[in-house]
Amino acid sequence: MKALRIERPNQVKIADLPFPHPGENEVLIQVMASGICGTDIHILRGEYLGDYPVIPGHEFSGVIEQVGNGVTRFHAGDRVAVEPNIACDNCYNCLHNRHNFCLKWQAIGVTRPGGMAQYVVAPEKSVFDIGDLPFEHGAFVEPLSCVLHGIERTQIRLADRVAILGAGPIGILILQTVRLQGAVQVTVVEKNPARAELATACGAHRCLTHPDALEEGVLKESVLKQGGYDVVIDATGVIPLMARTIDFARHGGTVLLFGVPPAGQRMELEAFEIFRKGLTVLSSFTSVRNSYQAVALLQSKRIEVSSLISHQLPLTEFEKGVRLIEEGLEDVKKVLILPQL
Ligand SMILES: [Zn+2]
Ligand SMILES: [Zn+2]
């Protein structure tokens, strides 16, 4: 089979590898669609823990090709998506329902071969039936699961006013999710006009795009209402923007730092402001048992992702896809790799 392998940082090759075989309680999946995520880019650039060589890809869907001994929920031909984080279910964190912090954590596409390949093996417990959901949409089960976990943590209530910084694919998933949770006013800040337009189409109450919104990456005072929002969510991972979230949250409000910032850098927050406003400042790491929810929301179209897919490329154009995302051009949203092309 063909697989895209990162040999070492910044060096990829299309490898011809032997057909993988599913072990006990594992399934073999023919990969149909595999999303390029920021994490794949970090692995490519050598900014992530893990060993090389590695086949990246943890946001994918496909068809069961073969099942190993002991598999009970699946048969060949089933259409599935995968939860890539594999927990042991038997460590201190797993036994406290914090599977996302499993002490023996493994992840498909990070520590095990991933979905940027024609075939991949996954444990049965990580696999979810997607029925007739298009494969391209099935590739969003994983990122949507992460969003659902983050939004669960914020405990958004009916009629909340929410501000979201960033309208990339994740910002748009967050926008749709908070609306489902009952937020009545969702204000989105996004500098890219095409993305801002999409946010408006996806139900943002207001979308702030004017070029003056950001000055050297920093939000200007006037852009969002100080203390105006019940929940403020950062979906950029840009530290100077993340640092402004506490200003926009109301007294007793909540801040969710969802975007992934670069490692090793500090963020400056006014400690007294957090105290005086009684803020809840949250982060979110991967997901915990959110895959069934994600599949159901995509199948029912309560969460709509077709407008988030901008490119569908063959395996050989993975690096091109990465460049498109890194350059952040106007029309780039989610880039999917279709390994069977
Ligand atoms: Zn991802
Ligand atoms: Zn564990």
Side-chain angles (χ1 to χ4, degrees):
M1 69 153 184
K2 301 248 180 280
L4 178 121
R5 203 164 62 179
I6 301 175
E7 301 293 316
R8 62 179 75 99
N10 297 309
Q11 194 191 323
V12 307
K13 93 170 198 205
I14 301 292
D16 237 320
L17 299 177
F19 205 67
H21 284 287
E24 183 101 13
N25 300 314
E26 290 183 333
V27 299
L28 175 68
I29 300 165
Q30 181 185 30
V31 183
M32 302 305 288
S34 191
I36 301 181
C37 166
T39 300
D40 297 314
I41 300 178
H42 285 302
I43 295 170
L44 175 65
R45 299 293 174 228
E47 299 158 356
Y48 209 79
L49 309 166
D51 293 328
Y52 298 87
V54 61
I55 299 172
H58 59 273
E59 303 180 355
F60 61 92
S61 62
V63 184
I64 300 274
E65 175 82 12
Q66 203 186 327
V67 299
N69 284 335
V71 170
T72 57
R73 284 194 295 127
F74 296 104
H75 299 98
D78 289 346
R79 299 158 56 89
V80 296
V82 169
E83 153 56 52
N85 297 289
I86 303 167
C88 74
D89 303 322
N90 194 33
C91 71
Y92 184 83
N93 285 341
C94 283
L95 294 170
H96 282 84
N97 294 320
R98 294 188 291 252
H99 301 77
N100 51 338
F101 301 113
C102 173
L103 299 173
K104 293 179 182 164
W105 173 81
Q106 293 274 307
I108 297 169
V110 183
T111 66
R112 298 172 43 135
M116 293 296 171
Q118 292 184 310
Y119 294 88
V120 63
V121 166
E124 179 184 23
K125 68 177 183 177
S126 307
V127 179
F128 294 83
D129 199 307
I130 61 170
D132 56 7
L133 187 71
F135 294 119
E136 293 77 6
H137 297 190
F140 284 85
V141 168
E142 194 275 340
L144 178 57
S145 296
C146 294
V147 164
L148 297 177
H149 177 61
I151 300 307
E152 259 172 18
R153 303 203 73 204
T154 64
Q155 300 188 322
I156 282 179
R157 293 170 313 165
L158 287 172
D160 270 357
R161 294 156 302 163
V162 177
I164 301 169
L165 309 185
I170 290 291
I172 298 288
L173 291 177
I174 290 173
L175 162 63
Q176 296 187 59
T177 304
V178 300
R179 292 190 72 232
L180 279 176
Q181 291 281 82
V184 288
Q185 285 183 19
V186 188
T187 303
V188 176
V189 181
E190 166 60 54
K191 62 179 176 181
N192 175 327
R195 288 183 167 193
E197 209 171 286
L198 180 60
T200 307
C202 291
H205 163 75
R206 253 172 100 214
C207 200
L208 301 158
T209 45
H210 59 99
D212 308 331
L214 300 160
E215 207 168 45
E216 288 166 19
V218 179
L219 273 178
K220 280 190 173 174
E221 289 294 320
S222 56
V223 168
L224 285 177
K225 202 165 147 222
Q226 300 285 306
Y229 306 90
D230 299 290
V231 180
V232 180
I233 302 172
D234 175 74
T236 68
V238 176
I239 289 176
L241 295 180
M242 296 169 77
R244 294 301 311 281
T245 50
I246 63 165
D247 302 335
F248 305 127
R250 68 159 168 80
H251 286 73
T254 298
V255 161
L256 171 64
L257 302 176
F258 192 89
V260 181
Q265 292 182 27
R266 289 179 170 268
M267 172 169 68
E268 200 168 291
L269 296 176
E270 189 191 335
F272 185 78
E273 190 184 7
I274 296 173
F275 156 72
R276 184 181 56 85
K277 291 170 85 172
L279 296 179
T280 302
V281 180
L282 299 169
S283 62
S284 183
F285 183 74
T286 70
S287 64
V288 181
R289 302 277 187 249
N290 299 97
S291 297
Y292 275 126
Q293 288 173 303
V295 170
L297 290 167
L298 292 166
Q299 282 178 329
S300 63
K301 295 199 184 299
R302 301 300 293 273
I303 301 278
E304 217 290 304
V305 291
S306 44
S307 57
L308 293 182
I309 302 166
S310 62
H311 295 78
Q312 302 191 49
L313 306 173
L315 214 43
T316 47
E317 292 186 32
F318 173 83
E319 282 183 289
K320 177 185 163 187
V322 167
R323 276 197 302 277
L324 287 168
I325 296 168
E326 286 183 327
E327 286 163 13
L329 299 177
E330 275 282 290
D331 64 333
V332 180
K333 293 177 206 119
K334 194 70 179 176
V335 178
L336 296 181
I337 298 294
L338 309 185
Q340 308 301 329
L341 280 186

